[in-house]
Amino acid sequence: MNADWLEKLSQRAKRGRLREAGAAPAPRVGVVTDSAAALPENWAASAAVTDLVRVVSMPVMIGDQIYGEGTDRMIGALALALAQGSEVRTSRPAPGQFEAAYAELAAAGCSSVVSLHLSGQLSGTVDAARLAARSASIPVTVIDTASVAMGLGFAVVAAAEAARDGGSAESVAEAARAAARSVSILFYVPSLEQLRRGGRVSAAAGWFGTLFAVKPILVVREGKIVPLERVRSAPRALLRLTELVQQNIAARSGRVRVAVHHFGNEGEAERLAGTIAEASPDVELMICSLPAVLAAHAGLGVLAVAVAGEAAAPPQVPGGPNDRPGTGTDSTAGSGPAGG
């Protein structure tokens, strides 16, 4: 296996930062998202991009304690709770959190906002954003990306880059929609228990029936988590996940980006990423922990892969960009009740 792929990623990031030296039009559009976007550290090439984005934290409740996304204390408590089978719950952010994010961008000089969120089939977060948008002082376009993790994250990156380049709210929103449509998300979980507890796999629960010994591979399709294959052992499931990801990459042309997510199994994620990098050296690859709000439902040991890029041929797995007729639903609101 080629062990130099991490160094190649670092060199690509440096080249991207150098390209930021040129002057760009003054941005007029801000971007808001939620912490389910799974944006890793150093996700953008420059501060000109990151300064346009606000991320609203999604709460995780472990016992009687409420935690915000991203703290080491919360990650440790969540891992322990999942290992012990303790109750873990999540909630959508309060509309007031979105109101504050929209107001902050308005105060920074933005004349409009594009607000991008995880699938409304999995969370009420997008509804909270819509409520907040109605009272915003500037127009807010709220988009349900019908995705999660870096499926949402890649849409945020596309929107922020379009905003940095001076795009209108309409062009920024369209860049986000196109990016979200291009993403396939496949993932493996050692157990369906956490997904079943949270009601995120009602279709999968019926499909698997009582076969709890299987190791499921699932996809996100039309905003829902649905089963793709059942495999009898963890090593075979990881091998099959790798094969499916490689097939998906092969069906794409031009710029292809891949994010490998993990929770509690970083070593497995690194091995999976290394295999992908060896087979597809031109792919832009990142490894990042799954956000706590998603790990709370997926459980320990989850491996998720988001593949983004234009499809040169129909991808070989359900849930690809040609398998999804639309990407969520949008709404636009401004000051007062307009646009509800």
Side-chain angles (χ1 to χ4, degrees):
M1 180 181 297
N2 184 359
D4 296 330
W5 63 274
L6 280 172
E7 177 61 26
K8 291 179 181 178
L9 289 179
S10 176
Q11 292 172 358
R12 284 178 186 163
K14 290 177 182 177
R15 289 196 295 270
R17 285 191 289 270
L18 290 174
R19 285 196 295 268
E20 293 290 331
R28 298 182 295 113
V29 183
V31 178
V32 171
T33 189
D34 52 71
S35 54
L39 294 169
E41 292 184 13
N42 303 319
W43 62 269
S46 75
V49 176
T50 56
D51 286 350
L52 293 171
V53 178
R54 301 294 184 273
V55 181
V56 173
S57 178
M58 299 179 68
V60 176
M61 288 156 279
I62 304 172
D64 58 357
Q65 295 292 313
I66 300 177
Y67 296 85
E69 184 72 57
T71 65
D72 290 340
R73 180 169 173 263
M74 186 270 285
I75 295 299
L78 176 59
L80 180 61
L82 291 173
Q84 294 176 339
S86 302
E87 182 183 19
V88 177
R89 294 173 293 133
T90 61
S91 177
R92 73 181 193 179
Q97 293 176 261
F98 290 111
E99 291 175 6
Y102 301 152
E104 184 177 337
L105 287 169
C110 291
S111 58
S112 60
V113 170
V114 174
S115 197
L116 308 169
H117 302 290
L118 83 160
S119 171
Q121 300 281 351
L122 302 175
S123 169
T125 298
V126 71
D127 293 327
R130 289 178 180 133
L131 286 173
R134 294 175 183 172
S135 59
S137 62
I138 55 177
V140 178
T141 300
V142 179
I143 298 177
D144 177 351
T145 63
S147 196
V148 294
M150 276 304 292
L152 167 58
F154 285 132
V156 173
V157 174
E161 290 177 346
R164 172 206 58 193
D165 294 338
S168 65
E170 293 78 9
S171 63
V172 170
E174 183 50 40
R177 295 186 196 102
R181 285 194 298 266
S182 81
V183 179
S184 295
I185 299 180
L186 305 97
F187 65 105
Y188 153 80
V189 291
S191 169
L192 282 172
E193 182 59 25
Q194 283 300 119
L195 287 168
R196 285 168 56 86
R197 283 184 181 182
R200 265 62 179 183
V201 287
S202 57
W207 191 72
F208 283 108
T210 58
L211 298 177
F212 298 114
V214 302
K215 302 302 179 183
I217 296 175
L218 305 104
V219 296
V220 176
R221 191 192 318 165
E222 297 182 4
K224 299 178 182 178
I225 296 173
V226 296
L228 177 62
E229 293 186 5
R230 48 187 178 182
V231 186
R232 286 295 184 179
S233 69
R236 289 181 180 179
L238 294 175
L239 177 61
R240 184 57 180 152
L241 176 63
T242 304
E243 292 172 347
L244 291 168
V245 168
Q246 290 173 334
Q247 289 173 12
N248 198 278
I249 291 172
R252 300 172 186 268
S253 62
R255 183 186 185 191
V256 179
R257 292 171 292 170
V258 175
V260 179
H261 295 293
H262 61 87
F263 191 80
N265 54 340
E266 186 173 1
E268 286 184 338
E270 290 176 346
R271 286 189 289 274
L272 173 57
T275 300
I276 294 170
E278 185 175 19
S280 305
D282 294 330
V283 163
E284 297 178 28
L285 189 63
M286 65 179 72
I287 302 175
C288 39
S289 179
L290 199 67
V293 71
L294 300 181
H297 295 288
L300 283 172
V302 58
L303 282 177
V305 183
V307 184
E310 292 300 320
Q316 299 300 304
V317 293
N322 288 350
D323 193 55
R324 191 165 62 202
T327 303
T329 56
D330 304 350
S331 60
T332 302
S335 179

